[in-house]
Amino acid sequence: MRASSSTRMSPWVVTIRNWGYSLLNSARISSVDFAPSTASTGKVSDSDRIRPIRNFLIGASGWRLVDCRLTECKFTGKVVDEKFSTPHGFPVTLRAMENMPAITRFAPSPTGYVHVGNVRTAFFNQLLARCSGGRFILRSEDTDAERSKQEYLDALLADLHWLGLRWDEGPDCGGPSGPYCQSERSGLYEVYYTRLIDSGDAYPCYCSDQELKLSRKRQLASGRPPRYAGTCRHLGDQERADKAAQGRVPVLRFKVTAGDSVTFQDLVRGEQVFARDDIGDFVIRRADGSAAFFFSNAVDDALMQVSHVLRGEDHVANTPRQILLLQALDLSVPRYGHFSLMVGDDGAPLSKRHGASSLRELRLAGYLPGAILNHFLRLGHKADIDDWLDLDQMPEHFNIDALGRAPARYDMDQLRHWQKEAVMRLSIAELEDWLGDSGRALIPPEQTGAFLELVRSNVLFPADLQAWVDVLYGDLPKPGESEQEWLQQAGSEFFRAALAALENPAATLKDLTDAVKTATGAKGKQLFMPLRAALTGRTDGPGLQEMLVLMSADTKRKRLQEALALGQKHSREPLI
RNA sequence: GCUCCCUUCGUCUAGUGGUUAGGACUCCGGCCUCUCACGCCGGCAACAGGGGUUCGAGCCCCCUAGGGAGCGCCA
C-alpha cells in the first residue's frame, strides 16, 4: 500500500500533560486534533503545522504545560523542535517529525528454512517501508558457500510469498541495485577492499586459527575480554613477505584505531555508545577471498541506498563496526534500529524444542498467513488497535516507536486466537482448498458452501474440517466416553422411536424429538444429547438440525441403528 | 571473564512523578442456545526484590536477583 505523505495528512495529534500539586489539577487532557488547514495547497511548512497548535496551547491558559509533542508520524524523520514558553513561564517543546520514505531490507542467509524470528524481522521491515511509501528490498546473504543452498533460497522466497510479503527488489524480481545475492557481488567489493588498504584502514592478517584461539584463551584467563591482539597490525613489508612465503594466506582486517567512542542514535533503543577499545580489529575478507558479514552487509546497505536497518538486538554490537567501516569508505550510513529478540514460552531463546520454529512448519501445521501476521504485529510491538487487521491495513498501524526493548515470548495461545479469527474471515473458496481431494469427493457439490459455512466456527485447522466432513458424509470414529454414556442412558426404546420417525426421509429434528418424547418421555438434554451423539458421534459441533439437513437419509438411519445396537448391548432393558 | 541491554496480570502489552495501574489473549462465570464454537456482558489476575530522591515513585537514582545479547575466517 502506497500513500504519499501529502495526501495522507491525518490530523496531528497533540498530547498534553499537565503538571501541578493540586489534585484538582490532575485531570489529563487526552488529545487534540488539528486538521492541517493548508493541506490543499500542497507543501505545508513546519511552521504552518505548528502555528495552530501553538495558538491553541497559549489559549489554554488554565494548564501548566511541560511537554507537547506531535506524534502523528509513524517513524522518525527530520525532527523539528520549536521551543517557547507559555504565559506561565513553563517551557513547551513542539516536536514535529516529517515523514520520509524509508528504504528497508531483509537480508537472510539461505542456510535452512526461514526461522520465525527472521520472518518477524522481514515483516517489520516491509511495514516500515510501506507506511512511509518507501521500498522494501530482499537480499540473499549467501557468502557462506558451505551452508548456503539454492533450495533454501527458493524455499525462503516461496514461504515469505505465501505469508503475503512482497518486496520491490530481490533475487527473483531484480531491481536497480542488483545482483541481490551476495555470492554474485564479490566483484563489486574489490574496489572497497582496495580503498581500505590504500587508506591504511585495513591490513592483511596472517594469524592462524590456533594462534587466535590461544590468544583469546589467554585474555579470558587474565580477566580481559577476548579481542584481536593486533599482532599483524604493524607488520612490515618484509615480515608480510616472509609469512606469505610460509604459505600463509592472509585475511583482511579492518583497523579500529583508538579514539573517541562510537555513538549512534538507535531508532528503538536511543543513544548507544561504544568504546573503541571494546571493538577489536575485525575480519572483512576471509582467506578464501569471500566477504565477511560486517563488510558485505554494510557495503550492500550503502550501495542499495538502504535508509533504515531494522534488525534484532543481536546486531547492536555489530553496528559500531559497520558505522566505522562505512565512514572509512565514505559511504552513507543508514539509521539503525534494534528490537528485542523473540524467545520461547519459557523465556529461553527460540529453538527446536519450542515446537514450530520455522515458517515452513507453521505453514504445514495449517496456520494461516493472516494469523501469523496479526500475531507478529503484536509481538514486541504495540499496535494501536487490538482487532484483526488485514495485511494492507497493517502499515498504518505500525509504529517504529512502538517497538519493544524487552524480549517477547512466542505464545501459542495467542497464535491460536488469531488463527480462529483468520478462519472466520476465510472465503468459501479458501476453505474449499482445505477440504483436499478426499474431502471434496465426499461432499455433494451443491452442499459445499452450506457445509463450510456451517462448520467453520468449529474449525481451526484443515484436519478439523476433515473431521466434520466425516461426521456429515463419511464414517464415524468409535464413540468417545461421554458419547457412549449418552447413548447408554437413552436406552433402546429411545432409538427405536427415532428410527421410526426416520421412515420419513425428510424428517426434521423436531419430528425426531417429538417421536422420542412421545415414546420415552425424555426431554431437555436427555432428549437432545443422545440424538446428537448417535447422529454425529460427538457432543459438540454446529446446530443439529442444520447438520441433519445436509446428511443423507441413509447415513442418519445407519447411525441410529448403530446406536440402537450399542444400547441393546450395554443397557439394562426395562423389566416390564 | 568482560561490555551492553531487559524486567508491569500466566502471556502480549499501555503507562515518560499524582492512574480505582488500562487493553488484548488464556482461564472462570452469566446471557444466547439441543451441545460446542461464535457473539454479547462480567470476573480473577501484575509494577522482580531491597534501598534512596520526593509532599508523592510503576515511572528518577543506587544495589541485588533473574533473563538476554555481544566479545568468530557464523550471519
Side-chain angles (χ1 to χ4, degrees), chain A residues 524-561:
Chain A
K525 275 195 168 189
Q526 313 299 323
L527 178 56
F528 291 102
M529 288 308 279
L531 273 178
R532 170 176 285 278
L535 287 161
T536 70
R538 41 200 291 188
T539 51
D540 64 335
L544 190 50
Q545 166 61 25
E546 287 81 354
M547 288 197 283
L548 288 182
V549 171
L550 296 178
M551 289 163 73
S552 76
D554 274 354
T555 305
K556 287 182 268 196
R557 206 171 300 123
K558 200 172 123 209
R559 300 219 173 136
L560 286 179
Q561 275 160 356

Side-chain angles (χ1 to χ4, degrees), chain A residues 15-18 25-31 63:
Chain A
T15 309
I16 301 163
R17 293 177 41 256
N18 70 319
N25 263 349
S26 69
R28 219 168 247 219
I29 302 178
S30 53
S31 68
W63 303 94

Side-chain angles (χ1 to χ4, degrees), chain A residues 139 182 185 189 295-305:
Chain A
R139 181 176 72 224
Q182 284 184 334
R185 296 178 67 84
Y189 299 145
F295 178 85
S296 52
N297 182 267
V299 169
D300 281 347
D301 284 343
L303 296 182
M304 293 180 179
Q305 300 180 319

Side-chain angles (χ1 to χ4, degrees), chain A residues 261-273:
Chain A
S261 50
V262 183
T263 310
F264 69 97
Q265 276 296 329
D266 192 287
L267 258 17
V268 340
R269 310 168 83 83
E271 186 173 70
Q272 305 288 306
V273 182

